[in-house]
């Protein structure tokens, strides 16, 4: 991207995070602020119920807390069953009770901090009030698209006219946004960056981690990481597991994560007679050692992913990966070269791909080597930070902000 001179000294940027829970968008923003620590003065604006308060203060960011809980505009309204009239009543209700107060709150914060740029860290449908407030202040804003959304409501499309540029975390996200009505010429694709660890001696290695987990050090370990919710499709992995074990008795499954589905999934394991070959370890703040212990990574995700963060983390740690062929997967994995893909929601395709990779060590090692090479080259922190910084420069150049 062509660069333009920026104002001297660090750039004051206001970042708005609409989510309340720690997740991919928050991790991505933390990584970005760390990478831009010498170039920006960040002001992070979050909601009162955010679970990640200390994450940004540890990055020396100023943090402003809104006296409201995070709100999802997509949540059904009491008027949803009334057809078109209900839609209009729902919009009026949400504006009166949430959007109008938020516009004033954001307007006041933007007036107080006077940022040169506003970075909205979620999809346009989450930032209606912030976009309007930025437009009222005449401050350029960038919106980070992190969901595959083929439909964007007309109100959000009208509001999006105040957004200077959009950043899509994958080409599939950009394509969906264009289908939804956003202008493609204002959307830049910048893949998320992963702060991959090296392989320091001080960290537990594969053998040491397997011993810690009380696993056979010579087993073929399949790992899956994610929230145990229906959207992750973990039940499909458990469904195929008895057949995987029959084909390769030394196979073991390690499930890293927690959620509302855990009790049901553990019951499936017990009723399937595979308890000795499956290990649940719950949520882990640091998944790197668990990935380091593995040979294969598998995901059964039930919807297209905007950017498969856990998948890329596994690739970067040198695991052979198996994933459904939708969303960003085709951008992340080259089938047969850096991983195996299967038809989405197809349990038989998933079963065959996992059986192939656990039974063929040559294939497994070849896929793993290419996965690690490609992930660390394409999805490291440098390309992410410089990509976002390049968008900032273009936006300020368009506004005529020079030294």
């Amino acid at each position: 991207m062509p660069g333009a001179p920026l104002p001297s000294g660090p750039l004051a940027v206001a970042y708005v995070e609409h989510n309340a829970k720690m997740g991919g968008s928050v991790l991505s923003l933390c990584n970005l602020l760390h990478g831009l620590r010498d170039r920006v003065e960040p002001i992070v604006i979050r909601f009162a119920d955010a679970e990640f308060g200390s994450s940004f203060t540890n990055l020396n960011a100023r943090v402003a807390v809104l006296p409201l809980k995070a709100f999802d505009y997509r949540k059904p309204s009491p008027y949803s069953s009334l057809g078109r009239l209900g839609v209009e009543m729902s919009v009026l209700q949400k504006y009166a009770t949430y959007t109008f107060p938020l516009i004033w709150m954001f307007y006041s914060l933007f007036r107080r901090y006077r940022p040169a740029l506003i970075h909205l860290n979620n999809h346009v449908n989450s930032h209606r009030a912030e976009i309007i407030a930025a437009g009222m202040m005449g401050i350029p804003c960038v919106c980070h698209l992190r969901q595959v959304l083929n439909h964007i409501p007309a109100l959000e499309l009208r509001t999006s006219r105040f957004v200077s540029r959009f950043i899509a975390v994958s080409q599939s996200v950009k394509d969906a946004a264009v289908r939804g009505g956003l202008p493609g010429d204002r959307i830049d694709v910048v893949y998320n960056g992963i702060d991959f660890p090296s392989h320091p001696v001080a960290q537990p290695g594969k053998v040491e981690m397997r011993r810690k987990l009380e696993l056979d050090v010579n087993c073929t370990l399949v790992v899956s990481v994610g929230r145990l919710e229906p959207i992750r499709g973990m039940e499909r992995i458990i469904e195929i597991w008895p057949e995987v074990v029959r084909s390769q008795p030394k196979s073991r499954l390690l499930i890293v994560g927690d959620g509302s589905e855990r009790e049901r999934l553990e019951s499936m394991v017990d009723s399937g007679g595979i308890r000795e070959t499956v290990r649940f370890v719950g949520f882990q703040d640091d998944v790197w050692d668990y990935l380091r212990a593995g040979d294969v990574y598998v995901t059964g995700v039930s919807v297209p992913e905007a950017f498969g963060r856990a998948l890329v983390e596994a690739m970067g740690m040198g695991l052979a990966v198996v994933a459904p062929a939708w969303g960003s997967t085709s951008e992340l994995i080259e089938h047969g070269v850096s991983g195996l893909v299967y038809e989405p929601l197809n349990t038989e395709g998933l079963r065959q791909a996992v059986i192939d990779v656990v039974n063929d060590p040559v294939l497994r090692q070849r896929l793993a080597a290419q996965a690690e090479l490609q992930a660390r080259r394409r999805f490291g922190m440098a390309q992410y930070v410089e990509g976002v910084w390049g968008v900032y420069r273009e936006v300020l150049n368009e506004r005529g902000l020079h030294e």
Side-chain angles (χ1 to χ4, degrees):
M1 296 179 181
L6 297 176
S8 60
L11 186 71
V13 181
Y15 294 89
V16 183
E17 173 53 58
H18 200 90
N19 285 318
K21 295 185 178 296
M22 191 69 174
S25 68
V26 178
L27 290 172
S28 182
L29 181 55
C30 288
N31 286 340
L32 179 64
L33 296 189
H34 179 72
L36 291 175
R37 60 191 179 278
D38 297 324
R39 291 185 257 185
V40 303
E41 289 182 350
I43 307 106
V44 176
I45 303 172
R46 65 173 180 84
F47 287 80
D49 56 340
E51 299 175 353
F52 44 81
S54 63
S55 300
F56 296 110
T57 53
N58 292 340
L59 291 167
N60 295 321
R62 287 180 288 177
V63 177
V65 181
L66 294 166
L68 291 174
K69 292 183 178 181
F71 179 84
D72 188 350
Y73 282 107
R74 296 167 295 165
K75 187 176 180 179
S77 162
Y79 307 110
S80 299
S81 62
L82 299 179
R84 185 176 181 82
L85 175 61
V87 171
E88 293 177 357
M89 292 174 66
S90 174
V91 169
L92 289 173
Q93 179 206 32
K94 290 176 180 179
Y95 257 84
T97 60
Y98 191 76
T99 303
F100 285 142
L102 261 188
I103 291 172
W104 174 249
M105 290 178 193
F106 279 110
Y107 179 78
S108 299
L109 284 172
F110 296 157
R111 283 194 64 182
R112 175 183 173 187
Y113 290 109
R114 298 285 177 175
L117 184 72
I118 297 166
H119 184 136
L120 309 175
N121 201 43
N122 314 102
H123 209 288
V124 64
N125 63 350
S126 297
H127 290 295
R128 183 186 300 170
E130 299 92 304
I131 294 170
I132 294 172
M136 292 168 61
M137 284 290 297
I139 301 173
C141 70
V142 169
C143 189
H144 220 132
L145 308 179
R146 301 181 182 275
Q147 294 172 279
V148 179
L149 294 180
N150 292 295
H151 173 72
I152 300 171
L155 186 59
E156 269 67 43
L157 290 177
R158 288 195 291 271
T159 304
S160 70
R161 292 178 297 176
F162 295 107
V163 178
S164 302
R165 297 297 281 267
F166 299 90
I167 299 173
V169 298
S170 64
Q171 185 63 43
S172 62
V173 168
K174 176 177 179 176
D175 292 344
V178 172
R179 288 193 294 271
L182 293 181
D185 60 347
R186 283 164 48 204
I187 305 176
D188 295 287
V189 175
V190 179
Y191 291 112
N192 283 336
I194 307 296
D195 189 14
F196 294 110
S198 57
H199 300 271
V201 176
Q203 293 289 336
K206 185 184 290 283
V207 172
E208 289 79 2
M209 193 63 190
R210 290 184 178 198
R211 285 175 176 158
K212 180 180 177 181
L213 293 168
E214 299 181 346
L215 294 169
D216 181 352
V217 297
N218 295 313
C219 72
T220 301
L221 185 59
V222 178
V223 182
S224 192
V225 178
R227 291 177 293 111
L228 303 188
E229 304 293 344
I231 196 174
R232 304 306 303 177
M234 201 70 74
E235 73 279 358
R236 274 187 290 279
I237 299 172
I238 293 174
E239 284 174 13
I240 68 163
W241 194 248
E243 294 181 70
V244 175
V245 173
R246 280 194 290 272
S247 75
Q248 174 49 266
K250 284 198 166 187
S251 297
R252 296 294 183 267
L253 176 62
L254 181 67
I255 297 175
V256 183
D258 216 334
S260 64
E261 288 278 281
R262 178 165 179 172
E263 184 176 347
R264 186 177 75 86
L265 294 172
E266 295 220 41
S267 295
M268 288 178 63
V269 168
D270 291 333
S271 62
I274 52 176
R275 171 58 67 179
E276 293 301 313
T277 67
V278 179
R279 182 70 55 83
F280 290 82
V281 296
F283 172 79
Q284 301 295 325
D285 284 319
D286 188 344
V287 300
W288 297 117
D289 288 339
Y290 294 89
L291 292 174
R292 187 177 283 116
D295 300 297
V296 178
Y297 180 85
V298 61
T299 173
V301 65
S302 300
V303 296
E305 286 194 294
F307 180 86
R309 185 183 187 89
L311 177 65
V312 174
E313 289 175 344
M315 293 173 67
M317 293 302 289
L319 277 69
V321 296
V322 177
W326 61 2
S328 61
T329 301
S330 62
E331 301 171 56
L332 309 179
I333 299 174
E334 186 178 355
H335 178 62
V337 176
S338 57
L340 298 179
V341 299
Y342 62 93
E343 183 180 347
L345 307 178
N346 186 316
T347 302
E348 171 58 26
L350 169 62
R351 181 192 68 82
Q352 190 59 58
V354 174
I355 287 176
D356 286 347
V357 78
V358 299
N359 282 285
D360 189 340
V362 175
L363 171 66
R364 190 165 66 244
Q365 291 167 13
R366 176 169 58 81
L367 294 176
Q370 280 298 311
E372 181 173 9
L373 179 67
Q374 292 190 21
R376 289 180 177 253
R377 185 181 69 237
R378 298 178 58 210
F379 307 116
M381 284 301 302
Q383 64 80 27
Y384 172 50
V385 170
E386 295 307 319
V388 173
W389 184 247
V391 174
Y392 289 0
R393 294 177 69 95
E394 286 199 349
V395 167
L396 295 179
N397 184 42
E398 291 166 2
R399 289 296 184 108
L401 297 178
H402 299 275
E403 287 183 308

